[in-house]
Amino acid sequence: MRGVALQDLGFLDAMGVRLGLMRTHARALPGARAYDFKPFYRGSKVSVIGAITVSKVLAVMTINDSMDAAVFKAYVSQCLVPQLWRGAVVVMDNLPAHKVEAIAPLIEAVGAKVLYLSPYSPEFNP
Protein backbone atom coordinates (compact mmCIF):
# COMPACT_ATOMS: atom_id res chain seq x y z
CA MET A 1 0.00 0.00 0.00
CA ARG A 2 2.95 2.35 0.41
CA GLY A 3 3.19 2.83 -3.33
CA VAL A 4 -0.50 3.75 -3.76
CA ALA A 5 -1.45 7.43 -3.70
CA LEU A 6 -4.42 8.26 -1.50
CA GLN A 7 -6.32 9.84 -4.40
CA ASP A 8 -6.00 6.59 -6.38
CA LEU A 9 -7.88 4.50 -3.81
CA GLY A 10 -11.51 3.63 -4.49
CA PHE A 11 -13.58 1.73 -1.93
CA LEU A 12 -16.47 -0.45 -3.08
CA ASP A 13 -19.19 -2.03 -0.94
CA ALA A 14 -22.81 -3.14 -1.06
CA MET A 15 -25.68 -3.20 1.39
CA GLY A 16 -29.27 -4.37 1.53
CA VAL A 17 -32.24 -2.45 2.90
CA ARG A 18 -35.51 -4.13 3.87
CA LEU A 19 -38.29 -1.62 3.30
CA GLY A 20 -41.02 -3.32 5.30
CA LEU A 21 -39.36 -3.73 8.67
CA MET A 22 -40.97 -2.28 11.75
CA ARG A 23 -39.42 -1.29 15.04
CA THR A 24 -39.35 -4.00 17.69
CA HIS A 25 -39.38 -1.58 20.64
CA ALA A 26 -41.41 1.51 21.48
CA ARG A 27 -41.59 4.28 24.07
CA ALA A 28 -44.52 5.23 26.22
CA LEU A 29 -45.24 7.80 28.87
CA PRO A 30 -44.12 6.86 32.39
CA GLY A 31 -46.56 4.35 33.86
CA ALA A 32 -48.14 3.61 30.45
CA ARG A 33 -47.52 0.64 28.18
CA ALA A 34 -46.79 0.83 24.44
CA TYR A 35 -48.95 -1.43 22.28
CA ASP A 36 -48.80 -2.05 18.55
CA PHE A 37 -49.46 -4.76 16.03
CA LYS A 38 -46.45 -6.04 14.11
CA PRO A 39 -47.59 -7.62 10.85
CA PHE A 40 -45.77 -10.42 9.10
CA TYR A 41 -42.86 -9.00 7.07
CA ARG A 42 -44.07 -8.35 3.51
CA GLY A 43 -41.81 -5.53 2.39
CA SER A 44 -39.42 -5.53 -0.51
CA LYS A 45 -35.64 -5.39 -0.42
CA VAL A 46 -33.38 -2.89 -2.15
CA SER A 47 -29.66 -3.45 -2.68
CA VAL A 48 -27.28 -0.53 -2.98
CA ILE A 49 -23.83 -0.92 -4.55
CA GLY A 50 -21.41 1.99 -4.47
CA ALA A 51 -17.81 3.07 -4.76
CA ILE A 52 -16.15 6.17 -3.31
CA THR A 53 -12.77 7.87 -3.28
CA VAL A 54 -11.49 10.40 -0.75
CA SER A 55 -12.98 13.21 -2.83
CA LYS A 56 -16.08 11.93 -4.64
CA VAL A 57 -18.63 9.21 -5.24
CA LEU A 58 -17.53 7.13 -8.22
CA ALA A 59 -20.61 5.07 -9.00
CA VAL A 60 -23.84 4.04 -7.27
CA MET A 61 -26.46 1.58 -8.38
CA THR A 62 -29.64 0.37 -6.68
CA ILE A 63 -31.62 -2.73 -7.57
CA ASN A 64 -34.77 -4.31 -6.27
CA ASP A 65 -34.05 -7.59 -4.43
CA SER A 66 -30.67 -9.10 -3.57
CA MET A 67 -27.40 -8.66 -5.42
CA ASP A 68 -25.82 -11.63 -7.14
CA ALA A 69 -22.77 -12.13 -9.36
CA ALA A 70 -24.61 -11.16 -12.57
CA VAL A 71 -25.87 -7.90 -11.07
CA PHE A 72 -22.43 -7.10 -9.67
CA LYS A 73 -20.81 -7.74 -13.05
CA ALA A 74 -23.31 -5.36 -14.67
CA TYR A 75 -22.53 -2.71 -12.02
CA VAL A 76 -18.78 -3.03 -12.58
CA SER A 77 -18.97 -2.97 -16.38
CA GLN A 78 -21.65 -0.28 -16.81
CA CYS A 79 -21.23 1.99 -13.77
CA LEU A 80 -17.79 1.58 -12.20
CA VAL A 81 -15.37 0.94 -15.08
CA PRO A 82 -16.31 4.11 -17.02
CA GLN A 83 -15.37 6.15 -13.91
CA LEU A 84 -11.97 4.48 -13.31
CA TRP A 85 -8.59 5.75 -14.44
CA ARG A 86 -5.15 4.26 -15.03
CA GLY A 87 -3.52 3.63 -11.65
CA ALA A 88 -6.76 3.43 -9.66
CA VAL A 89 -6.95 0.74 -6.97
CA VAL A 90 -10.42 -0.66 -6.24
CA VAL A 91 -10.64 -1.99 -2.67
CA MET A 92 -13.45 -4.45 -1.95
CA ASP A 93 -14.33 -7.19 0.51
CA ASN A 94 -14.40 -10.93 -0.09
CA LEU A 95 -18.07 -11.31 -0.96
CA PRO A 96 -18.31 -14.27 -3.39
CA ALA A 97 -19.99 -12.06 -6.02
CA HIS A 98 -16.93 -9.76 -5.93
CA LYS A 99 -14.59 -12.64 -6.69
CA VAL A 100 -16.26 -13.89 -9.88
CA GLU A 101 -13.56 -14.47 -12.53
CA ALA A 102 -14.90 -11.79 -14.89
CA ILE A 103 -14.69 -8.90 -12.39
CA ALA A 104 -10.93 -8.37 -12.07
CA PRO A 105 -10.29 -8.40 -15.86
CA LEU A 106 -12.99 -5.75 -16.37
CA ILE A 107 -11.32 -3.44 -13.88
CA GLU A 108 -7.78 -4.21 -15.02
CA ALA A 109 -8.70 -3.51 -18.68
CA VAL A 110 -8.68 0.23 -17.94
CA GLY A 111 -5.33 0.10 -16.13
CA ALA A 112 -6.77 -0.11 -12.61
CA LYS A 113 -6.04 -2.77 -10.00
CA VAL A 114 -8.19 -4.80 -7.61
CA LEU A 115 -7.32 -5.21 -3.95
CA TYR A 116 -9.36 -7.61 -1.84
CA LEU A 117 -9.50 -6.98 1.90
CA SER A 118 -8.36 -9.68 4.26
CA PRO A 119 -11.26 -11.76 5.64
CA TYR A 120 -13.34 -10.17 8.40
CA SER A 121 -11.79 -6.72 8.13
CA PRO A 122 -14.62 -4.21 7.58
CA GLU A 123 -12.67 -1.52 9.43
CA PHE A 124 -10.39 -1.16 6.39
CA ASN A 125 -13.26 -0.18 4.08
CA PRO A 126 -14.80 3.24 4.84
Side-chain angles (χ1 to χ4, degrees):
M1 291 300 296
R2 287 187 185 142
V4 179
L6 182 62
Q7 65 270 15
D8 285 335
L9 287 172
F11 298 93
L12 183 148
D13 209 353
M15 70 173 196
V17 179
R18 293 184 183 260
L19 300 177
L21 290 180
M22 294 184 64
R23 296 176 185 259
T24 57
H25 294 79
R27 294 185 184 183
L29 294 173
R33 190 171 207 145
Y35 289 97
D36 198 7
F37 173 71
K38 184 178 178 186
F40 179 74
Y41 177 77
R42 294 187 193 275
S44 60
K45 181 177 181 182
V46 174
S47 293
V48 181
I49 312 164
I52 61 170
T53 67
V54 294
S55 60
K56 66 180 181 177
V57 175
L58 285 179
V60 176
M61 183 174 95
T62 60
I63 59 159
N64 293 329
D65 212 4
S66 298
M67 183 189 73
D68 60 9
V71 170
F72 186 67
K73 183 179 176 186
Y75 165 77
V76 169
S77 64
Q78 297 170 19
C79 299
L80 181 63
V81 167
Q83 302 299 318
L84 293 177
W85 59 96
R86 180 170 294 285
V89 177
V90 178
V91 180
M92 63 181 106
D93 59 21
N94 288 289
L95 184 71
H98 295 175
K99 295 190 126 188
V100 173
E101 288 182 26
I103 301 301
L106 285 170
I107 294 171
E108 292 167 353
V110 295
K113 296 178 184 172
V114 176
L115 176 65
Y116 291 103
L117 294 173
S118 54
Y120 307 109
S121 56
E123 66 276 6
F124 295 134
N125 192 347

